[in-house]
Amino acid sequence: MKRVVFLVDMNAFYISCETTRRPELAGIPAAVAGDPKKRSGIILAANYEARKYGVKTTMTVGEAQKRCPEIILVPPDHSFYEEKSRQVMELLSGYTPIIEQASIDEAWLDMTGCEILSGQPRAAAERIMADIRDKLDLMCSIGISENKFLAKMAAEMKKPMGITELWVHDVPEKLWPLDVKAMYGIGNKTAQLLANLNIRTIGELAKVDPAVLSEKLGKFAFEIHQKANGIDNDPVTPHSPDEMKSIGRSTTLPEDITDLEEARKVIMELSEEIAMSARRHNKKGRTVQITIKYSDFKTITRQTRISPTNLARDIMQAGFMLLEKNWNRFRPVRLLGISISGFEEDFCDQVSLFEQANIGHDRVKEEKLERTLDQLRLKYGLDKISRAALIKRDPS
Amino acid sequence: MKIIVLKQNLMEAINVVQKAVMTKATLPILEGIYIEAGEKVKLIGNCFDLGIEYTLDADVQRQGSVVIEARMFGEIIRKLPDAPVYIEVLEGFKVRIECLNSYFEIRGMDGDTYPMPPVYDSEFTLSLPQAVLKELIRQTIFAVGNDENRKIMTGVLMEAVQGELKMAALDGFRMAVCSSVIKEDVNFKVVIPGKNMQEILRVLETSEDAVTISMAGSLVSFDLKNCRIVSKVLEGEFMNYSSYIPAQFETVINVNTRELEESMERASLITSEDKRYPVRINLSYDKMVISSTTEKGLSKEEIQIENSGNTMQIGFNPRYFLDALKVINDEKIKISFTSPVGPCIITPIEHDRFLFLILPVRLKS
């Protein structure tokens, strides 16, 4: 059976997410930018109104403001985008169970055999796009083909809100005239190497003898030669290979601190956040690492191992231990961070001595409790419920 | 200080004491190895949780002491040719190291400021052959926990009671207990950090030479002929491990140790490293079938057993079994199962010097 692969690429994702909760940004030039207060910040995502003025991703804020003085800049809120991304993926999973998330705003869908459910590929893509627009108020482009590479190339061809089909038989006509630089996976360096071989279009790349190519490009040559011919057998694999390796948060303190109790509160607050994120991604980690940046910017990281967990209490307990052991208390601290990593896939439902002998705390119960807190926070806001130690005293 | 010492001897000494040297210390001197030339040459590494002294023969031409940054010192000595090494402390704690055609001058630190591992009057001492202690550690250390939030379980319990030296370790999923007869009539109970125990294990030899254990306050030391290891003990109460050992069993089998070990090894070949899969054990009246099914494929092993109980199907993490089987020298063992979700214990048939307890994995039907 011919495979059907979609690439769904969210358009101007960060700024579009912001627009969903700040409708006043719609229709005017706006961008998400790292620390807009500093002129050194960069543009992370610009909306299409701003792009008309030539504002691009990674451009400095100063440069963007020069090109478009009335641009509205919004500071990034990554956990919000993560949540939106999760909603997008959830919506997509209603169309096919085989989804490979490539990044926060992109995913491949294996739609092979889904015609009965969703209709012909183009019709299915139209439904997905409308669904994302109506339910989440976000834009996307969709590339349709029979493999991941061509689907990706197709999605790039028409943005925003474009649906493009690029089947193998379309390759000579639609793909070959393109510059090799437009090819997914080819950067400036490879493009330069190819230019030295007088290869400038994807068509020229497709027709060259791969043996000649491999002299310059090594193992990579075979792969790009295949792709230039529209061949890519890589399956759509649920869970992207570059899956999350760690979850961490850090914070620069309003003023440098020297007090252990205060530092513990910061660690506590950050631990709550990463535990919440770990639970949302169904991850349990076994390595806890803390980062301490002293006022002179010297930074140390220290880590320890614990039993796999997604509970704030376990994470903060390990964090406290690391903090007490490693913080040179003569030195004021300007930044504290904590992360959890070492996620493992566990197909074993291992019986433990603790449940057998009924000692220690009941982790199953505690996870239920923390998950309930998560739901309350998602509904009413992060600061609405927290540990008593974190309640800020009313100055009056 | 001026000494001449054989490269191999010095290298061995560095390798042993380096384990007690901090790699990220707040004070530079703590990242160094202390060297003292008296009648013999003594190297010391000390990180407070663990201190190691190692004495070696050398031609001492001038007595004295110095501290040298451990990592660089180790690297230099490692890369020198196999020949006598001259070490001399020059003015301002500069250290000259010479060997055949190689010459180094590196910065050292004042030996007098080095924090020595404490010397104390011990409350009691216990001597036993190194081989015996080595075996006891080997048979328990693999079960030590690594959860720093449950500190006490990262240690090995060492308990002398009624003419017996007992050791125990557990990580929540399995447990190892073993014992040996001792001559002295001493009573004590300490928990020694697992990673310090690992270093003690490394220096112990399979010989009848004695190792002397002595203790005072929160410290315990192990004295060998040319080496002394001082370890902090872990504070807190060790679990009452004997209460976890079940008394009634549903199924009791006798099996050949090596056959089971080899079958488990093969069965775990298709369980990948990063994803943990269980092995499934089917016990009938005369045989044991070990099978595993993973995304990579399946395997099946059959072993003859004597079963004096009922049939049972039960799953395990094969690593837990292998860790225990590897340290058993007995030809045959007894394995007693309680239920598919309860502990099983591995015990010897001829004596009662060890007991390994392993908890199963819930099998999805």
Side-chain angles (χ1 to χ4, degrees):
Chain A
M1 190 178 359
K2 186 162 104 175
R3 289 205 292 160
V4 180
V5 176
F6 283 14
L7 182 92
V8 177
D9 181 9
M10 304 304 296
N11 302 137
F13 185 58
Y14 291 0
I15 189 65
S16 302
C17 288
E18 292 293 349
T19 310
T20 63
R21 60 176 177 184
R22 303 172 60 166
E24 71 272 17
L25 296 177
I28 58 168
V32 172
D35 206 348
K37 287 196 196 80
K38 289 186 197 149
R39 290 180 63 85
S40 58
I42 61 160
I43 302 292
L44 296 172
N47 66 7
Y48 286 88
E49 286 73 18
R51 289 182 198 197
K52 282 183 202 144
Y53 291 84
V55 176
K56 287 181 183 150
T57 301
T58 74
M59 184 176 270
T60 64
V61 166
E63 176 69 26
Q65 282 168 333
K66 213 184 286 168
R67 294 194 184 198
C68 177
E70 68 269 37
I71 191 167
I72 310 266
L73 297 174
V74 185
D77 176 356
H78 289 282
S79 54
F80 180 60
Y81 312 145
E82 255 178 50
E83 178 57 27
K84 281 280 171 202
S85 169
R86 203 189 52 77
Q87 289 172 4
V88 171
M89 298 305 151
E90 206 171 278
L91 184 147
L92 293 177
S93 66
Y95 287 88
T96 169
I98 306 169
I99 295 181
E100 178 176 343
Q101 188 171 353
S103 68
I104 192 163
D105 61 356
E106 265 183 314
W108 278 291
L109 276 58
D110 192 333
M111 298 289 290
T112 313
C114 293
E115 288 85 355
I116 306 156
L117 283 172
S118 311
Q120 287 304 306
R122 178 168 283 275
E126 278 164 3
R127 279 182 56 188
I128 291 174
M129 187 183 279
D131 217 8
I132 290 178
R133 189 192 57 214
D134 299 344
K135 292 202 178 119
L136 300 172
D137 205 10
L138 294 168
M139 300 180 292
C140 68
S141 299
I142 300 178
I144 303 171
S145 184
E146 55 225 275
N147 62 50
K148 280 161 70 176
F149 168 72
L150 290 179
K152 171 76 185 168
M153 294 304 294
E156 291 297 319
M157 286 175 176
K158 195 177 160 210
K159 277 181 170 183
M161 303 284 274
I163 293 175
T164 312
E165 289 181 62
L166 178 62
W167 303 98
V168 172
H169 64 76
D170 298 323
V171 163
E173 185 199 338
K174 288 190 188 168
L175 190 68
W176 285 357
L178 299 181
D179 192 314
V180 284
K181 276 187 215 158
M183 199 169 141
Y184 178 53
I186 292 194
N188 282 334
K189 219 168 158 192
T190 312
Q192 189 54 50
L193 283 170
L194 292 172
N196 293 344
L197 293 168
N198 231 347
I199 298 169
R200 290 201 166 68
T201 66
I202 298 178
E204 285 166 352
L205 177 61
K207 282 169 212 144
V208 80
D209 177 1
V212 177
L213 217 50
S214 76
E215 271 176 40
K216 291 270 182 244
L217 297 172
K219 273 182 275 180
F220 183 50
F222 181 70
E223 197 184 324
I224 64 166
H225 184 262
Q226 290 244 301
K227 284 187 173 164
N229 282 289
I231 304 165
D232 176 14
N233 293 319
D234 196 21
V236 178
T237 322
H239 302 301
S240 62
D242 57 341
E243 232 182 310
M244 194 179 309
K245 297 280 194 309
S246 78
I247 299 172
R249 295 278 185 279
S250 65
T251 184
T252 301
L253 304 157
E255 48 193 279
D256 295 353
I257 57 171
T258 50
D259 179 35
L260 183 67
E261 271 317 300
E262 258 182 82
R264 286 168 66 108
K265 276 185 196 167
V266 175
I267 291 291
M268 192 184 280
E269 221 171 318
L270 296 173
S271 300
E272 292 274 11
E273 278 185 52
I274 60 175
M276 201 170 149
S277 178
R279 283 190 293 273
R280 195 166 65 213
H281 293 102
N282 274 322
K283 296 269 182 193
K284 285 186 180 181
R286 55 182 319 142
T287 304
V288 172
Q289 175 172 297
I290 63 162
T291 304
I292 302 175
K293 190 191 270 180
Y294 292 114
S295 54
D296 61 0
F297 283 84
K298 187 180 181 299
T299 305
I300 61 165
T301 59
R302 294 290 184 271
Q303 60 180 49
T304 190
R305 276 166 77 82
I306 59 173
S307 296
T309 190
N310 56 16
L311 298 180
R313 209 174 48 82
D314 289 335
I315 298 169
M316 69 178 77
Q317 199 180 328
F320 292 163
M321 198 258 302
L322 287 168
L323 190 67
E324 274 164 50
K325 223 165 141 184
N326 296 295
W327 178 12
N328 177 346
R329 241 131 318 144
F330 297 108
R331 305 178 65 176
V333 169
R334 64 172 276 127
L335 172 144
L336 281 172
I338 183 162
S339 72
I340 182 150
S341 57
F343 303 125
E344 54 186 40
E345 269 188 87
D346 205 338
F347 292 85
C348 284
D349 183 7
Q350 174 71 53
V351 181
S352 107
L353 210 50
F354 302 109
E355 57 181 290
Q356 286 280 317
N358 220 348
I359 49 171
H361 54 276
D362 186 341
R363 274 154 196 270
V364 180
K365 207 167 151 190
E366 191 158 348
E367 186 171 336
K368 262 190 203 154
L369 174 70
E370 293 205 9
R371 280 190 188 276
T372 308
L373 292 182
D374 293 350
Q375 283 173 359
L376 287 171
R377 286 169 182 149
L378 267 182
K379 194 160 174 195
Y380 299 107
L382 259 182
D383 52 348
K384 288 295 177 283
I385 185 159
S386 66
R387 279 167 207 268
L390 292 175
I391 295 173
K392 304 226 166 45
R393 282 188 197 87
D394 196 332
S396 62
Chain B
M1 188 189 94
K2 190 175 177 186
I3 58 171
I4 304 168
V5 55
L6 278 176
K7 182 235 164 160
Q8 298 94 312
N9 297 354
L10 183 57
M11 195 65 242
E12 198 188 327
I14 292 172
N15 282 341
V16 173
V17 301
Q18 204 162 29
K19 298 289 175 177
V21 178
M22 288 186 203
T23 46
K24 286 171 178 171
T26 40
L27 287 172
I29 197 150
L30 296 174
E31 293 179 8
I33 291 176
Y34 171 87
I35 306 172
E36 183 186 283
E39 237 172 79
K40 289 186 167 189
V41 168
K42 187 153 75 175
L43 266 65
I44 298 179
N46 185 18
C47 64
F48 305 112
D49 282 348
L50 175 71
I52 307 179
E53 288 181 25
Y54 192 99
T55 311
L56 69 159
D57 289 320
D59 178 1
V60 176
Q61 302 193 331
R62 193 166 65 237
Q63 300 195 334
S65 72
V66 72
V67 176
I68 308 176
E69 203 259 297
R71 202 173 326 163
M72 183 172 45
F73 186 45
E75 281 306 307
I76 290 174
I77 303 304
R78 181 166 298 117
K79 298 215 155 80
L80 288 178
D82 280 342
V85 181
Y86 296 76
I87 300 178
E88 185 181 0
V89 180
L90 310 170
E91 211 173 303
F93 307 109
K94 210 187 282 171
V95 183
R96 178 172 76 98
I97 301 172
E98 230 181 312
C99 178
L100 296 180
N101 300 322
S102 307
Y103 182 92
F104 286 89
E105 261 185 34
I106 58 174
R107 211 171 41 176
M109 289 164 275
D110 185 358
D112 291 341
T113 60
Y114 189 76
M116 297 295 232
V119 180
Y120 49 81
D121 295 325
S122 48
E123 289 155 14
F124 63 85
T125 60
L126 164 66
S127 286
L128 68 162
Q130 289 190 30
V132 173
L133 183 62
K134 188 175 175 135
E135 189 64 5
L136 290 177
I137 299 175
R138 200 172 71 93
Q139 292 194 322
T140 45
I141 197 156
F142 65 85
V144 166
N146 57 13
D147 183 345
E148 291 290 330
N149 279 348
R150 290 180 174 136
K151 196 80 189 174
I152 197 75
M153 283 172 24
T154 64
V156 179
L157 173 77
M158 191 163 77
E159 184 180 19
V161 61
Q162 293 171 337
E164 244 191 346
L165 183 66
K166 280 191 176 179
M167 307 242 292
L170 70 158
D171 67 0
F173 309 113
R174 37 70 184 274
M175 172 169 108
V177 183
C178 62
S179 63
S180 179
V181 176
I182 48 172
K183 294 196 190 88
E184 276 113 316
D185 181 27
V186 287
N187 286 293
F188 65 83
K189 192 174 174 183
V190 289
V191 182
I192 299 167
K195 53 182 198 294
N196 292 358
M197 222 35 157
Q198 198 76 55
E199 299 314 319
I200 296 161
L201 180 62
R202 266 160 40 98
V203 297
L204 287 170
E205 285 169 12
T206 313
S207 87
E208 288 301 306
D209 291 349
V211 48
T212 303
I213 306 169
S214 51
M215 201 173 319
S218 65
L219 295 168
V220 55
S221 80
F222 295 80
D223 282 274
L224 285 71
K225 203 168 63 205
N226 57 350
C227 184
R228 173 168 180 260
I229 298 186
V230 185
S231 170
K232 265 245 173 76
V233 301
L234 287 179
E235 282 169 39
E237 189 66 27
F238 199 77
M239 278 65 58
N240 179 14
Y241 64 86
S242 52
S243 69
Y244 307 146
I245 302 170
Q248 285 183 341
F249 302 99
E250 179 73 16
T251 306
V252 178
I253 65 163
N254 283 357
V255 62
N256 180 293
T257 316
R258 293 288 86 83
E259 269 181 38
L260 179 58
E261 182 187 345
E262 285 162 16
S263 292
M264 281 281 181
E265 290 268 18
R266 286 189 292 264
S268 58
L269 286 176
I270 62 159
T271 63
S272 61
E273 285 282 305
D274 47 335
K275 298 177 183 173
R276 295 195 287 141
Y277 287 96
V279 293
R280 187 180 289 261
I281 296 178
N282 263 302
L283 297 163
S284 60
Y285 293 108
D286 59 349
K287 68 180 190 231
M288 176 178 195
V289 177
I290 304 169
S291 59
S292 58
T293 311
T294 72
E295 56 192 16
K296 290 183 181 167
L298 64 87
S299 81
K300 204 167 173 183
E301 295 275 337
E302 234 181 78
I303 307 174
Q304 297 304 310
I305 56 164
E306 298 151 30
N307 182 351
S308 57
N310 296 319
T311 61
M312 189 181 287
Q313 182 174 156
I314 185 167
F316 285 101
N317 175 346
R319 211 192 74 214
Y320 291 169
F321 252 96
L322 283 170
D323 285 346
L325 293 170
K326 281 200 169 84
V327 298
I328 297 175
N329 302 321
D330 301 45
E331 195 195 328
K332 280 191 119 182
I333 46 173
K334 181 163 87 177
I335 310 180
S336 314
F337 301 84
T338 52
S339 85
V341 290
C344 82
I345 60 168
I346 305 175
T347 47
I349 293 170
E350 312 271 308
H351 54 91
D352 59 356
R353 294 272 163 256
F354 65 76
L355 180 149
F356 302 112
L357 179 148
I358 303 173
L359 283 157
V361 164
R362 286 188 190 86
L363 289 173
K364 294 170 191 89
S365 45

